[in-house]
Amino acid sequence: MEKSLLKLDKGTTCTSWNYSGDRLASGSVDGTLAVFDLRHPASSSFACTSRTKVDEGSIVKIVWVPPEYGDAVACVCEDGTFSLWEELTEDSLPVQWKLCERFKSSSAKVLDVQFGVSPSSLKMVVASSNGYVKVYELTNPMELKNWQLQAEFQNVIDLVSPSSKTLCLSASISWNPLRGEGQGSSFVLGFSSDSPQLTSSKVWEFDRAHQRWLPVAEMALPDDRGDQVHGVAWAPNIGRPYEVIAVATEKGISIWHLSLNVEVDGRLSVEKVASLSGHEGEVWQMEWDMSGMTLATTASDGTVKLWQSNLKGSWQEQATFVPT
Amino acid sequence: MPGAASDSGGGGSAGAGALVPLSSETKQSPVYPLRHSVGPPVSPRVSVCWARGSSLRVSIFQQQSPSCGEGDVGGEVVEVKLSGGDGEISDAQWRRIAYGSMSPFAMLQSRRNSVSTLSRISPSPYHVDWWEFVMEYSKDINALLGSPRSTPASVIEDPKTVLKKSEKPTSLKAAWELMELFYADKLSQAWLPERLIDWLADYDSLFSGSCATVHSKLVDFQNELINIQVIEDNPRYWEVIGSALAVGWLEIVVKLLHLHGSYQLDQLSSRETESGLVEAVAVLISRMPRMRLELGDGRLGECYKAKPDFIKAWEKWRAQITKMDCSAYWIQCNHLQTREGLKNLLQIMLGNTNSLSSATYHWLELYVSHFLYVRPFTVGLESMHGLAQKCIQLKPVPRSQKLMGLLLGILGENTEVVLAECSKQFGPWMVAHAIELMTAGSDEAESLLCEEHYNLGELSIQELHRLVYAQVLSSHAFTWQIAPVYLTSCMKQGMGLLEILLCKQPVQHNELLHKNLEICRLYELDSVSSHIMKIAGVHHWKHGRKGAGVFWLQQARDEFRLHKIAQQLFASVGKSISDESFKQWEGLIELLGSESKTAGGLEFLHKYRDFKRSLKHIHDGKSIEAAQQAVESLMLLMKNPSTPQRFWLPLLYDSLKLINWQDRPVLNVTQTNLLLNRLQELSIARLRPDFVEADLPSQALSAVRLALATNLGRAILEE
């Protein structure tokens, strides 16, 4: 049933597949970015095509830039900086990975970076350890160098802002994966932090009329607002009349339906439709399949689990994979 | 399933069966091991990513520790195909089935569309024939699942070959035929029991794996046959004859009876009565009345289509058996085994339930024996279901047998169970295709399968299973091209998934890219195709294939990116205007030129290209026509507002040869004045802080000024 695709380098800490699943970027403890490619389109064997030193410290996360902006990745490092690297061929030199931009901040560590495509431009959301979220916009679609800071805000829904000495340990961002024309951009964001106001997952939507980001929904029941969020995942929607978002907190995974209709107060109504228990320990990663019907999760128990809803709308564990 | 790379056992199909369970029973979900070769210590942190379709990629890392484990492998990525294979059918065979079933499916869908269009115009008459289309579809699919069962008999028949060897049947084909005869084939509705008897004759061997069957007993006996001296003395001989008779394999029974020793020439005279009895029973058997449409060539029995005729014949036949049973000849038969064996056959034919029960092994065999000899008039699924329950009680079988759940679901008229069994035992291909049969079967099933469920995002079960199957197809490079056929048959969400699928195809390889775009064109997915072309354009541009990059961006009508490219070109042109660099981007301008209006700046580049070319023609400094053409180009450039100011001086510097034309001035007074004005503007612009100095020799400006002034003087004189 399982088949080995490739072997990772010594010291590899994270991996990330590109949009088509025929390139894998891996990051290692010594700051090396390795890229693996299919040997040829019909084969299923991969080979390492480049190794680039991107940082002195360990890489903790790699995120691919959407393909219409080139073959590029963001590498988040352990020290809280991140850099953008792009594969380029210049002036008849062989193809190589080049640094586009390095983002550093003395005040806070970067916890998560995710890219979202809006009809006009590429947007990048960066969540930091001080609880702030920055949204950047790419000014020239042919170059990943020039980023303009479009907005900066905290993950709070009411106006009372949390104390300034907030410390967040992890953050999770997930963009609404739909790319249709005329669709506004939105993403969901949650923190694991010592400030209960910041933690709960909220959906942020760009209000084009006023050129600002607004929180339109909160994915937490009143009693659970302070729960540490370990992961969020927005499911692809191929035609459902509502959106589906998975949120993993210290209490387990929950599935939320997000209505597409705006209510009077400008919010979107949400409904928690399922609580999925089965993982022992903290959930690390959640990934929806391309139809948005199956959710794959991993956790500190070292297992991979698959979840699906049946016809009655009840979510169930479908399978568990245990590396042996 | 199609697309499954390799199935190495270990539980078979993960998820394949469980994809969208219909029952809400809470049971433990299966646990599968993920084998890998990462040396210890293995980090508990695994990472997952969905590849196209339903395959999952899992990265397994080695724990980071100062004393890291041995070897130089720090982890491994494994791929798990969730639509795991089926041990019965190879991957290649699955792909053949996937490709083969695509066109019957597409054909049926297009027929459905045209029928529904027609019925809107004039209702009624078309609905009647719908099942015939479904039957045609079913036959096409069935043909893919294996060769037809009735293998032609060899010319010289070996008298000792009782069972003909034929291709091993698959339970997939068996399941398909079962669904076909119960749901699609309206002609068989009145003869369901008879059809089931035939079905079991074809597929009895499938049940031999986990328990004894009539088939397995016959195979065993056949293997022994050569070594048996006096066949009629062997109790197994009579046993297998009884079994074969019980399940209605009349040809085999008669053939076996003819192996009886009394038929041998040397014994014919001494065992006349015995031989007569055997023959009489054989004749009775071969005259068994059957109520069915037809009997194939070489099949024994007598066929009756109308019930009254059949009843008459049946009663007559039974009377003959009873008479035979009471015959006086039995006493004269000295051979005990023959007498008892034949008597037992008569009991079977008379429907003696004890005889039937001991002659059969599997409940299905007992079941069909009841249809044959006890309740030949059984009609209706309800009574068939009741009888099945009774037979199962008498002969329980292991629950795991593949076709049992399906058959019971069909008999119990439980659409959900049938669907779940199809899905669990045969995977997404079966469900997606068999639903067509089920919807043709009954209105209830149709409404259940086509009703939209809010919990599924307003999907119907039918559509859901097509999506699931399409996803399985998408996960393999050889089959993803089939997926659009199924996706486009989904009214609600198929197109959404198709768009995602197409956007996830790699663009680097032209062949694949064209294939991809062809599919977009076919289904009028313009926004998707322009998205794909955009990705291709940017990819090529950034990988040094500038021409291909511009071409694809133009195809995508991505004016924003093209504009940025034009700006980038200006910058490179502005840096050096040498012939060397001109060569580099001349081709690009050519490309951009065809639709130069898509980006304003490109218009300039196009004109600049013309100018450069005409300058080249006047290299010898003699051709006045060429010089005049170059002047035209130059003037166009200098007049045009889209020409960036920073190019003015380089352009004029390039034109020194023109301005200083030896024979006579080629620029007239007006033209020279315009150029002088431009030069003046440039001098003023130089005072501004943001002015970019062209990369030219320091005396360039004065050289141009001098040349223009000289030319002006000559031009005035000329005029």
Side-chain angles (χ1 to χ4, degrees), chain A residues 2 4 21 86-87 289 308, chain B residues 19 35 57 76 542-543:
Chain A
E2 70 272 48
S4 174
E86 183 177 24
E87 189 186 62
D289 73 338
Q308 278 175 343
Chain B
L19 271 173
R35 275 158 295 184
R57 285 164 178 180
E76 190 175 16
K542 300 232 176 184
H543 287 83

Side-chain angles (χ1 to χ4, degrees), chain B residues 516-644:
Chain B
N516 221 348
L517 292 172
E518 176 65 22
I519 295 174
C520 291
R521 202 186 53 78
L522 204 63
Y523 299 110
E524 296 170 354
L525 296 170
D526 293 343
S527 70
V528 177
S529 75
S530 82
H531 174 79
I532 293 167
M533 292 188 286
K534 227 176 258 187
I535 298 177
V538 172
H539 179 84
H540 287 303
W541 177 262
K542 300 232 176 184
H543 287 83
R545 295 176 294 274
K546 306 259 185 218
V550 170
F551 172 78
W552 285 114
L553 287 174
Q554 274 185 337
Q555 295 292 308
R557 300 187 180 278
D558 188 341
E559 300 193 5
F560 192 47
R561 281 189 175 78
L562 283 171
H563 181 71
K564 292 291 177 191
I565 284 182
Q567 281 182 343
Q568 213 169 315
L569 277 179
F570 288 169
S572 64
V573 171
K575 263 181 222 155
S576 91
I577 204 147
S578 67
D579 288 346
E580 207 54 37
S581 68
F582 175 68
K583 262 183 217 146
Q584 268 187 25
W585 45 263
E586 188 184 12
L588 270 189
I589 297 169
E590 185 72 44
L591 250 175
L592 291 165
S594 60
E595 273 180 61
S596 57
K597 285 201 180 59
T598 52
L602 294 176
E603 200 184 339
F604 155 71
L605 287 176
H606 202 60
K607 291 203 176 88
Y608 183 67
R609 195 251 343 245
D610 293 345
F611 168 64
K612 270 290 199 184
R613 276 195 188 152
S614 48
L615 265 191
K616 267 191 194 159
H617 285 298
I618 59 158
H619 239 55
D620 49 5
K622 292 221 171 75
S623 161
I624 184 79
E625 288 82 12
Q628 263 155 357
Q629 204 167 354
V631 168
E632 288 295 311
S633 297
L634 177 66
M635 294 317 293
L636 274 175
L637 274 170
M638 295 306 279
K639 273 189 215 161
N640 198 312
S642 75
T643 305

Side-chain angles (χ1 to χ4, degrees), chain A residues 247-290:
Chain A
V247 177
T249 67
E250 53 188 300
K251 288 189 184 142
I253 301 164
S254 51
I255 305 286
W256 295 78
H257 283 185
L258 176 70
S259 153
L260 299 176
N261 305 319
V262 184
E263 304 206 333
V264 195
D265 57 356
R267 300 277 166 85
L268 302 175
S269 70
V270 290
E271 185 195 358
K272 182 176 171 178
V273 296
S275 298
L276 313 179
S277 56
H279 273 305
E280 285 166 28
E282 183 181 324
V283 173
W284 276 334
Q285 198 196 355
M286 297 192 291
E287 290 279 321
W288 289 99
D289 73 338
M290 68 180 203

Side-chain angles (χ1 to χ4, degrees), chain B residues 175 178-179 402-410 418 421-422 426:
Chain B
L178 208 51
M179 310 257 316
K402 259 189 164 181
L403 292 152
M404 293 303 105
L406 178 64
L407 181 60
L408 288 174
I410 293 173
V418 174
E421 284 293 326
C422 277
F426 306 101

Side-chain angles (χ1 to χ4, degrees), chain B residues 12 62 130 136 186 243 280 289 507 560 671:
Chain B
Q62 197 170 51
W130 176 246
E136 197 181 312
K186 300 288 181 208
S243 294
V507 298
F560 192 47
Q671 285 168 332

